[in-house]
Amino acid sequence: NGEEYRAFINKDFTLSYMDEDNKIRKSLPKDTDKETKTSFTEIQKEINDVIKTQELRLSNFLSSGRKWIFDEWTNAFLNHPIMTIYAQKLVWYCADSEGNLLHIFLVHEDTSLIDIEDNEIYPYENLIVGILHPIMIDEGTKSAWKQKLYESNIKTFIPQLEREVFIPNHDELEKSITKLFADRDVPKGPDFVKSWMEKRGWYKETGDGGYLHFSKSFQAFDIKISPWIDGVMVYFQQNEGKATVYEINFTKVTNNEKVLIKDIPPIIFSEAMNDINGMLEAQ
């Protein structure tokens, strides 16, 4: 009837509609034609399909240390009608080309970038942006940002600042094997190992005697991580027997040469150990 409405995606990923007086409604006006109603129903279906995969993608971005050039990040998150909502529920950082941390920030609804003191920051186009991992900051900074999230009533879409951090043992830095979890049994048994590792993106393959081996590759760094977990078989074991972690090997993806632990990016090392530790601590 000559009235104009603006459709937008709300924080709960549902479509909402704003009239000319900036009043928000959850449904289309009653007199909207059938064709328009159908098109918005299809849009909502598309939104639902998109968000099904996003939390896993974001978790993978964090655990692999994914980075973007600022302009790329702006297009991928700030200017995207769905991803901008995710961006508002994460803590971000920007760094220079050498990896020096320059800013830690949140994204506001108006897409402004705000630091811990509520000052707006203006990164320049060549800076690197990524999802902040707790291994990148000290305990004081982490506590301050946890308090900031609490005061701002923000719960991150994925576990972020509360993630457990793992740092290599000093005496293993010149080695390509860590025995951080050596000789520890998996409490929930061998079948649990299979489901746990697969859910966290570890590739499984069959070795000699029907034993399963697991690995995770990071192509960008030419790193392959392979834990030796004994007792896990291809067939369903009904959790008979036991699964024991012995050591975790680091090699190159391209030629299987050894990679020294000192050369493993801290985030990748920490996240791989976090996966193994989570499996061992599960009750």
Side-chain angles (χ1 to χ4, degrees):
N1 296 328
E3 295 180 348
E4 291 188 1
Y5 290 81
R6 181 169 68 88
F8 63 96
I9 302 172
N10 222 325
K11 282 186 175 182
D12 61 359
F13 298 107
T14 59
L15 286 168
S16 294
Y17 309 89
M18 183 179 291
D19 65 17
E20 294 167 319
D21 295 324
N22 293 328
K23 292 181 179 178
I24 297 174
R25 57 192 299 163
K26 285 287 189 179
S27 58
L28 283 163
K30 183 175 66 173
D31 294 331
T32 304
D33 64 85
K34 185 176 180 180
E35 183 180 353
T36 302
K37 286 182 177 178
T38 299
S39 69
F40 276 101
T41 298
E42 291 301 314
I43 290 172
Q44 184 64 63
K45 288 180 181 177
E46 291 179 23
I47 293 169
N48 294 342
D49 287 340
V50 170
I51 65 177
K52 285 178 183 177
T53 60
Q54 292 314 309
E55 288 189 22
L56 178 60
R57 287 183 70 233
L58 291 167
S59 183
N60 288 337
F61 288 158
L62 176 57
S63 62
S64 64
R66 177 74 159 86
K67 302 171 186 174
W68 296 263
I69 300 296
F70 180 68
D71 283 353
E72 295 175 345
W73 177 81
T74 298
N75 290 330
F77 287 93
L78 292 194
N79 296 339
H80 192 286
I82 295 176
M83 298 313 296
T84 189
I85 299 172
Y86 283 102
Q88 294 167 33
K89 294 292 184 75
L90 292 168
V91 184
W92 300 87
Y93 75 90
C94 59
D96 61 22
S97 58
E98 296 180 353
N100 299 308
L101 199 63
L102 300 178
H103 299 289
I104 301 173
F105 63 90
L106 296 172
V107 177
H108 274 200
E109 287 186 50
D110 61 1
T111 71
S112 59
L113 312 181
I114 305 298
D115 67 14
I116 198 166
E117 297 176 347
D118 290 327
N119 297 317
E120 188 168 0
I121 64 168
Y122 303 92
Y124 48 89
E125 60 184 16
N126 292 327
L127 287 184
I128 300 296
V129 179
I131 303 173
L132 184 73
H133 192 285
I135 204 169
M136 302 172 66
I137 53 178
D138 58 39
E139 285 298 320
T141 303
K142 183 166 68 174
S143 295
W145 273 101
K146 281 184 174 181
Q147 182 65 25
K148 177 69 174 178
L149 293 177
Y150 174 78
E151 292 173 353
S152 304
N153 196 28
I154 294 174
K155 178 177 173 56
T156 55
F157 273 112
I158 56 175
Q160 192 175 356
L161 297 183
E162 65 270 32
R163 297 173 93 88
E164 190 165 359
V165 168
F166 291 87
I167 298 172
N169 293 328
H170 187 267
D171 59 357
E172 291 186 332
L173 291 176
E174 298 291 338
K175 299 177 181 178
S176 63
I177 295 173
T178 179
K179 295 188 177 183
L180 187 61
F181 305 109
D183 302 321
R184 287 187 59 182
D185 294 335
V186 180
K188 298 187 75 170
D191 290 329
F192 178 74
V193 173
K194 286 184 275 190
S195 61
W196 177 272
M197 297 295 275
E198 282 189 279
K199 285 178 182 177
R200 278 148 186 80
W202 293 78
Y203 174 73
K204 67 177 183 181
E205 57 186 336
T206 306
D208 296 338
Y211 284 95
L212 278 181
H213 300 296
F214 299 90
S215 65
K216 183 178 280 191
S217 297
F218 298 87
Q219 302 287 347
F221 302 98
D222 195 16
I223 292 171
K224 180 180 179 181
I225 305 175
S226 307
W228 175 13
I229 307 174
D230 191 43
V232 185
M233 308 297 290
V234 173
Y235 54 80
F236 185 57
Q237 296 170 256
Q238 296 182 331
N239 275 329
E240 293 178 355
K242 67 177 182 178
T244 305
V245 178
Y246 287 107
E247 59 189 35
I248 301 163
N249 295 268
F250 300 88
T251 57
K252 290 185 177 181
V253 176
T254 49
N255 56 19
N256 280 328
E257 288 183 3
K258 295 178 180 180
V259 177
L260 299 183
I261 291 175
K262 69 177 183 179
D263 298 324
I264 306 292
I267 290 176
I268 289 177
F269 180 89
S270 182
E271 286 296 304
M273 299 306 105
N274 206 356
D275 280 349
I276 304 300
N277 184 67
M279 177 181 67
L280 290 167
E281 295 296 328
Q283 299 296 328

